[in-house]
Amino acid sequence: MAGGTIRYWAAAKAAAGTAEEAYDAATLAEALDAARARHADRPDFARVLDRCSLLVDGQQVGSRPHGTVELPDGGMVEVLPPFAGGSGTAIAAAAAARPRRVR
């Protein structure tokens, strides 16, 4: 199992009732299933989550099966609902907001 952070943006943040939370999961599917269970009392959460684009450490998940996406220890899963202008805009906004490493 790996531990990291799930960060929710915009409508996903509102549906989750939090900006971010920890995950303890080996795959993206496990992390999302646990998040659905944690937010079972929030009826919009699962519906919003199903419409979102996902990034793992800045890399778009796209159509890959979530059970095949391994999560790194200390990783970041970003949950981006559709924004005006399309999901490409959402991904660009999330990437721009991520702290940059100075080398």
Side-chain angles (χ1 to χ4, degrees):
M1 291 267 185
T5 303
I6 301 174
R7 181 179 297 156
Y8 300 104
W9 293 79
K13 179 179 172 181
T18 187
E20 58 184 48
E21 61 189 353
Y23 70 75
D24 186 25
T27 68
L28 182 58
E30 291 173 8
L32 296 178
D33 287 347
R36 284 184 188 94
R38 271 193 304 278
H39 300 291
D41 62 330
R42 302 185 69 90
D44 288 339
F45 181 76
R47 181 183 55 79
V48 170
L49 188 62
D50 289 342
R51 298 183 62 216
C52 289
S53 295
L54 302 166
L55 303 178
V56 174
D57 283 345
Q59 300 297 310
Q60 188 173 7
V61 172
S63 62
R64 289 183 286 162
H66 296 163
T68 66
V69 179
E70 294 183 7
L71 297 179
D73 197 38
M76 175 69 69
V77 175
E78 298 186 72
V79 181
L80 302 124
F83 288 80
S87 62
T89 302
I91 293 168
R98 293 195 63 171
R100 303 278 183 210
R101 290 186 184 160
V102 178
R103 293 181 189 212

